[in-house]
Amino acid sequence: MPVAPAGTALAGGTDGPRALRPLLDIVLDALTTGAQDRSGPLPPGGPDAVARTVRDACLPLLPEQGAGPHAALRTLVHTLAAGAADPADPHCAAHLHCPPLALATAADLAAGALNPSMDSWDQAPAASELEVLTARALAGLVYPAATAPDALVTTGGTESNQLAVLLAREAPRPPHPTDPLRIVCGANAHHSIHRAAWLLGLPEPVTLPTPDGTLDPATVHTCLAELNGRTGPLLLTATAGTTDAGTIDPLPALADLADQHGARFHVDASYGGPLLFSDTHRSALTGLTRAHTVTLDLHKLGWQPVAAGLLAVPAPATLTPLAHQADYLNADDDTEAGLPDLLGRSLRTTRRPDILKIAVTLKALGRQGLGDLVDRTLAAARTFADLVDAHPRYELHSQPTLTTVLFRPIGADDTALAAIRRSLLIEGHAVLGRATTPTGLWLKATLLNPHTQPGDLTHLLKLVEGHTPR
């Protein structure tokens, strides 16, 4: 047979590692040189400059004759790294976009090389069992008193929230109500709650004001009392870690109200869920175990490469509505013969084994090791808040609940704040977010790097000060 073209060696099989090794050296070198060229949290110059650099380096992307595996890999990885927003840089602190652990990233390489597809057992024999075991271990953190808690692996908080709304819509209900599910949430809820209602053909959620950043139980009580018996089933959604300020709704009081008014209770703990790893901070999630469904997202405060979401439930019966049959994947006779049925563990068919990196991290660090990373990161946020509070030229919005700190230069209006943020971005000096509250616009630092030092935080404040109009 003719010799296969260069660059077409496979990653799997017994020869796969041999083919990967020299390519990994190229990738690691390109990551290094790309980061050196960038020399900061973001490439300087703004969107036009970055787009021009990418075009100049990478075009044509579908040439008649290929450039060869080494040249293509080196060029594109270097270009991507040089033009990246690097969450490992302590001044890249705008979003819930974590720096992944090297350990988890290495595990993700293995997942890509082996390429199991998690829609049938014969495509992922070991991966399917590992997913069940790991998902149940994490669900056990959420529901420690449950007999058989479980969790589904998702692409992140958005998919998990959509699944939670779907399960609430499909949950058993008395025979007489025919009205659709009504969702009650706060203005602080993640936008995916509203998108889930839209995708599932449900009425627009009843959105309650959260002027202090969290749901007020008295307001929720009034709303549920008005809706109860006058509409279809109810779903009360709470948030444990808002995207704007990292605040946590009063979960015990909201769980009481859900019980009182016969509503299902969902908690979006995409951001705050990893507090469960910490002996110091887990009490902030008291009441979480009373939720019918809980969203977790370990590519936020869990240091996993995207994607690493989960939806935890207290019992497998909660997942019954997701059961689905496709003869080529889970034929009845195969299932009866003992082959595991994986289709009911996701709305997706083909999906990658994202559980591997999570399992490796849990096995390597344990609950206490991850709890230490959580504690370190929350401590860094409090250090930053103290620096802001003590500085005569800055205003602190509030002490942080998680790792988000809202602050602004004293006297800067909304237009000036937006300009400060964009200037830092365009120059590549710092990546800060923005949050709008009843008291106006604030700069947002979302700290997710457990290795950030006080000096990094002091320098971040100096960078902002250097761009503040005087």
mmCIF file of all heavy atoms in Angstrom, residues 109-135:
data_model
loop_
_atom_site.group_PDB
_atom_site.id
_atom_site.type_symbol
_atom_site.label_atom_id
_atom_site.label_comp_id
_atom_site.label_asym_id
_atom_site.label_seq_id
_atom_site.Cartn_x
_atom_site.Cartn_y
_atom_site.Cartn_z
ATOM 1 N N LEU A 109 -5.859 15.729 27.449
ATOM 2 C CA LEU A 109 -5.154 15.225 26.271
ATOM 3 C C LEU A 109 -5.452 13.748 26.056
ATOM 4 O O LEU A 109 -5.719 13.303 24.932
ATOM 5 C CB LEU A 109 -3.647 15.439 26.433
ATOM 6 C CG LEU A 109 -2.776 14.696 25.425
ATOM 7 C CD1 LEU A 109 -2.994 15.245 24.018
ATOM 8 C CD2 LEU A 109 -1.302 14.784 25.802
ATOM 9 N N ALA A 110 -5.431 12.985 27.149
ATOM 10 C CA ALA A 110 -5.723 11.556 27.029
ATOM 11 C C ALA A 110 -7.146 11.323 26.538
ATOM 12 O O ALA A 110 -7.404 10.430 25.721
ATOM 13 C CB ALA A 110 -5.502 10.862 28.372
ATOM 14 N N ALA A 111 -8.069 12.146 27.040
ATOM 15 C CA ALA A 111 -9.461 12.017 26.586
ATOM 16 C C ALA A 111 -9.568 12.272 25.091
ATOM 17 O O ALA A 111 -10.283 11.567 24.365
ATOM 18 C CB ALA A 111 -10.347 12.986 27.350
ATOM 19 N N GLY A 112 -8.830 13.282 24.594
ATOM 20 C CA GLY A 112 -8.869 13.571 23.178
ATOM 21 C C GLY A 112 -8.213 12.487 22.344
ATOM 22 O O GLY A 112 -8.673 12.164 21.242
ATOM 23 N N ALA A 113 -7.126 11.901 22.860
ATOM 24 C CA ALA A 113 -6.426 10.862 22.107
ATOM 25 C C ALA A 113 -7.253 9.587 21.987
ATOM 26 O O ALA A 113 -7.328 8.962 20.927
ATOM 27 C CB ALA A 113 -5.082 10.559 22.769
ATOM 28 N N LEU A 114 -7.895 9.197 23.072
ATOM 29 C CA LEU A 114 -8.698 7.974 23.076
ATOM 30 C C LEU A 114 -10.064 8.190 22.441
ATOM 31 O O LEU A 114 -10.648 7.274 21.871
ATOM 32 C CB LEU A 114 -8.850 7.465 24.507
ATOM 33 C CG LEU A 114 -7.544 7.000 25.158
ATOM 34 C CD1 LEU A 114 -7.744 6.783 26.646
ATOM 35 C CD2 LEU A 114 -7.037 5.727 24.487
ATOM 36 N N ASN A 115 -10.597 9.406 22.575
ATOM 37 C CA ASN A 115 -11.822 9.836 21.899
ATOM 38 C C ASN A 115 -13.028 8.932 22.137
ATOM 39 O O ASN A 115 -13.752 8.592 21.190
ATOM 40 C CB ASN A 115 -11.565 9.954 20.386
ATOM 41 C CG ASN A 115 -12.479 10.962 19.733
ATOM 42 O OD1 ASN A 115 -12.896 11.924 20.366
ATOM 43 N ND2 ASN A 115 -12.810 10.733 18.473
ATOM 44 N N PRO A 116 -13.293 8.547 23.384
ATOM 45 C CA PRO A 116 -14.540 7.808 23.621
ATOM 46 C C PRO A 116 -15.746 8.687 23.328
ATOM 47 O O PRO A 116 -15.710 9.895 23.530
ATOM 48 C CB PRO A 116 -14.465 7.477 25.126
ATOM 49 C CG PRO A 116 -13.056 7.722 25.530
ATOM 50 C CD PRO A 116 -12.547 8.786 24.618
ATOM 51 N N SER A 117 -16.796 8.076 22.845
ATOM 52 C CA SER A 117 -18.054 8.791 22.667
ATOM 53 C C SER A 117 -19.031 8.251 23.696
ATOM 54 O O SER A 117 -19.301 7.045 23.746
ATOM 55 C CB SER A 117 -18.606 8.587 21.258
ATOM 56 O OG SER A 117 -19.801 9.320 21.094
ATOM 57 N N MET A 118 -19.565 9.169 24.515
ATOM 58 C CA MET A 118 -20.282 8.748 25.715
ATOM 59 C C MET A 118 -21.763 8.477 25.470
ATOM 60 O O MET A 118 -22.590 8.644 26.358
ATOM 61 C CB MET A 118 -20.128 9.829 26.786
ATOM 62 C CG MET A 118 -18.694 10.163 27.140
ATOM 63 S SD MET A 118 -17.794 8.782 27.861
ATOM 64 C CE MET A 118 -18.669 8.598 29.400
ATOM 65 N N ASP A 119 -22.109 8.028 24.248
ATOM 66 C CA ASP A 119 -23.520 7.758 23.982
ATOM 67 C C ASP A 119 -23.852 6.274 23.948
ATOM 68 O O ASP A 119 -25.029 5.915 23.873
ATOM 69 C CB ASP A 119 -23.988 8.434 22.688
ATOM 70 C CG ASP A 119 -23.072 8.185 21.512
ATOM 71 O OD1 ASP A 119 -21.845 8.240 21.693
ATOM 72 O OD2 ASP A 119 -23.570 7.958 20.399
ATOM 73 N N SER A 120 -22.842 5.403 23.981
ATOM 74 C CA SER A 120 -23.146 3.974 24.114
ATOM 75 C C SER A 120 -21.949 3.272 24.745
ATOM 76 O O SER A 120 -20.795 3.678 24.557
ATOM 77 C CB SER A 120 -23.490 3.338 22.763
ATOM 78 O OG SER A 120 -22.365 3.317 21.900
ATOM 79 N N TRP A 121 -22.220 2.215 25.472
ATOM 80 C CA TRP A 121 -21.182 1.526 26.233
ATOM 81 C C TRP A 121 -20.089 0.985 25.333
ATOM 82 O O TRP A 121 -18.910 1.010 25.690
ATOM 83 C CB TRP A 121 -21.802 0.378 27.048
ATOM 84 C CG TRP A 121 -20.789 -0.342 27.907
ATOM 85 C CD1 TRP A 121 -20.408 -0.010 29.162
ATOM 86 C CD2 TRP A 121 -20.026 -1.498 27.542
ATOM 87 N NE1 TRP A 121 -19.445 -0.885 29.619
ATOM 88 C CE2 TRP A 121 -19.194 -1.821 28.633
ATOM 89 C CE3 TRP A 121 -19.971 -2.295 26.385
ATOM 90 C CZ2 TRP A 121 -18.327 -2.890 28.617
ATOM 91 C CZ3 TRP A 121 -19.091 -3.363 26.360
ATOM 92 C CH2 TRP A 121 -18.278 -3.658 27.479
ATOM 93 N N ASP A 122 -20.443 0.499 24.134
ATOM 94 C CA ASP A 122 -19.438 -0.107 23.264
ATOM 95 C C ASP A 122 -18.498 0.921 22.643
ATOM 96 O O ASP A 122 -17.508 0.550 22.003
ATOM 97 C CB ASP A 122 -20.089 -0.977 22.182
ATOM 98 C CG ASP A 122 -21.079 -0.224 21.320
ATOM 99 O OD1 ASP A 122 -21.425 0.920 21.654
ATOM 100 O OD2 ASP A 122 -21.533 -0.806 20.305
ATOM 101 N N GLN A 123 -18.766 2.207 22.832
ATOM 102 C CA GLN A 123 -17.825 3.253 22.415
ATOM 103 C C GLN A 123 -16.998 3.784 23.580
ATOM 104 O O GLN A 123 -16.011 4.488 23.359
ATOM 105 C CB GLN A 123 -18.591 4.435 21.800
ATOM 106 C CG GLN A 123 -19.393 4.109 20.553
ATOM 107 C CD GLN A 123 -20.191 5.309 20.088
ATOM 108 O OE1 GLN A 123 -19.677 6.177 19.391
ATOM 109 N NE2 GLN A 123 -21.457 5.359 20.472
ATOM 110 N N ALA A 124 -17.399 3.467 24.806
ATOM 111 C CA ALA A 124 -16.734 4.055 25.976
ATOM 112 C C ALA A 124 -16.859 3.136 27.182
ATOM 113 O O ALA A 124 -17.422 3.522 28.214
ATOM 114 C CB ALA A 124 -17.341 5.418 26.281
ATOM 115 N N PRO A 125 -16.336 1.923 27.111
ATOM 116 C CA PRO A 125 -16.566 0.979 28.224
ATOM 117 C C PRO A 125 -16.063 1.481 29.572
ATOM 118 O O PRO A 125 -16.825 1.563 30.534
ATOM 119 C CB PRO A 125 -15.811 -0.281 27.770
ATOM 120 C CG PRO A 125 -15.718 -0.166 26.278
ATOM 121 C CD PRO A 125 -15.613 1.291 25.992
ATOM 122 N N ALA A 126 -14.773 1.847 29.656
ATOM 123 C CA ALA A 126 -14.238 2.309 30.939
ATOM 124 C C ALA A 126 -14.706 3.719 31.259
ATOM 125 O O ALA A 126 -15.006 4.043 32.420
ATOM 126 C CB ALA A 126 -12.713 2.254 30.924
ATOM 127 N N ALA A 127 -14.781 4.573 30.247
ATOM 128 C CA ALA A 127 -15.174 5.961 30.480
ATOM 129 C C ALA A 127 -16.593 6.064 31.021
ATOM 130 O O ALA A 127 -16.890 6.922 31.861
ATOM 131 C CB ALA A 127 -15.050 6.771 29.190
ATOM 132 N N SER A 128 -17.478 5.181 30.562
ATOM 133 C CA SER A 128 -18.859 5.246 31.043
ATOM 134 C C SER A 128 -18.935 4.886 32.522
ATOM 135 O O SER A 128 -19.669 5.514 33.287
ATOM 136 C CB SER A 128 -19.760 4.323 30.217
ATOM 137 O OG SER A 128 -19.350 2.975 30.319
ATOM 138 N N GLU A 129 -18.158 3.912 32.954
ATOM 139 C CA GLU A 129 -18.159 3.550 34.373
ATOM 140 C C GLU A 129 -17.497 4.643 35.205
ATOM 141 O O GLU A 129 -17.967 4.981 36.296
ATOM 142 C CB GLU A 129 -17.437 2.216 34.573
ATOM 143 C CG GLU A 129 -17.386 1.736 36.018
ATOM 144 C CD GLU A 129 -18.762 1.393 36.599
ATOM 145 O OE1 GLU A 129 -19.739 1.271 35.816
ATOM 146 O OE2 GLU A 129 -18.859 1.239 37.835
ATOM 147 N N LEU A 130 -16.406 5.203 34.682
ATOM 148 C CA LEU A 130 -15.731 6.291 35.401
ATOM 149 C C LEU A 130 -16.659 7.486 35.559
ATOM 150 O O LEU A 130 -16.674 8.139 36.615
ATOM 151 C CB LEU A 130 -14.464 6.697 34.653
ATOM 152 C CG LEU A 130 -13.601 7.772 35.324
ATOM 153 C CD1 LEU A 130 -13.029 7.257 36.639
ATOM 154 C CD2 LEU A 130 -12.480 8.215 34.381
ATOM 155 N N GLU A 131 -17.450 7.787 34.532
ATOM 156 C CA GLU A 131 -18.379 8.905 34.624
ATOM 157 C C GLU A 131 -19.406 8.674 35.719
ATOM 158 O O GLU A 131 -19.688 9.574 36.520
ATOM 159 C CB GLU A 131 -19.081 9.123 33.283
ATOM 160 C CG GLU A 131 -20.070 10.280 33.331
ATOM 161 C CD GLU A 131 -20.719 10.557 31.986
ATOM 162 O OE1 GLU A 131 -20.138 11.319 31.198
ATOM 163 O OE2 GLU A 131 -21.817 10.008 31.735
ATOM 164 N N VAL A 132 -19.972 7.493 35.765
ATOM 165 C CA VAL A 132 -20.985 7.202 36.785
ATOM 166 C C VAL A 132 -20.380 7.334 38.180
ATOM 167 O O VAL A 132 -20.963 7.959 39.078
ATOM 168 C CB VAL A 132 -21.577 5.803 36.562
ATOM 169 C CG1 VAL A 132 -22.421 5.382 37.761
ATOM 170 C CG2 VAL A 132 -22.430 5.770 35.291
ATOM 171 N N LEU A 133 -19.213 6.754 38.381
ATOM 172 C CA LEU A 133 -18.597 6.778 39.712
ATOM 173 C C LEU A 133 -18.252 8.197 40.147
ATOM 174 O O LEU A 133 -18.502 8.596 41.295
ATOM 175 C CB LEU A 133 -17.335 5.913 39.711
ATOM 176 C CG LEU A 133 -17.535 4.405 39.504
ATOM 177 C CD1 LEU A 133 -16.180 3.711 39.386
ATOM 178 C CD2 LEU A 133 -18.352 3.802 40.632
ATOM 179 N N THR A 134 -17.671 8.981 39.231
ATOM 180 C CA THR A 134 -17.255 10.339 39.572
ATOM 181 C C THR A 134 -18.460 11.245 39.778
ATOM 182 O O THR A 134 -18.489 12.066 40.712
ATOM 183 C CB THR A 134 -16.339 10.903 38.473
ATOM 184 O OG1 THR A 134 -15.289 9.974 38.212
ATOM 185 C CG2 THR A 134 -15.756 12.238 38.883
ATOM 186 N N ALA A 135 -19.448 11.117 38.907
ATOM 187 C CA ALA A 135 -20.649 11.943 39.034
ATOM 188 C C ALA A 135 -21.352 11.661 40.356
ATOM 189 O O ALA A 135 -21.832 12.586 41.031
ATOM 190 C CB ALA A 135 -21.584 11.681 37.861
#
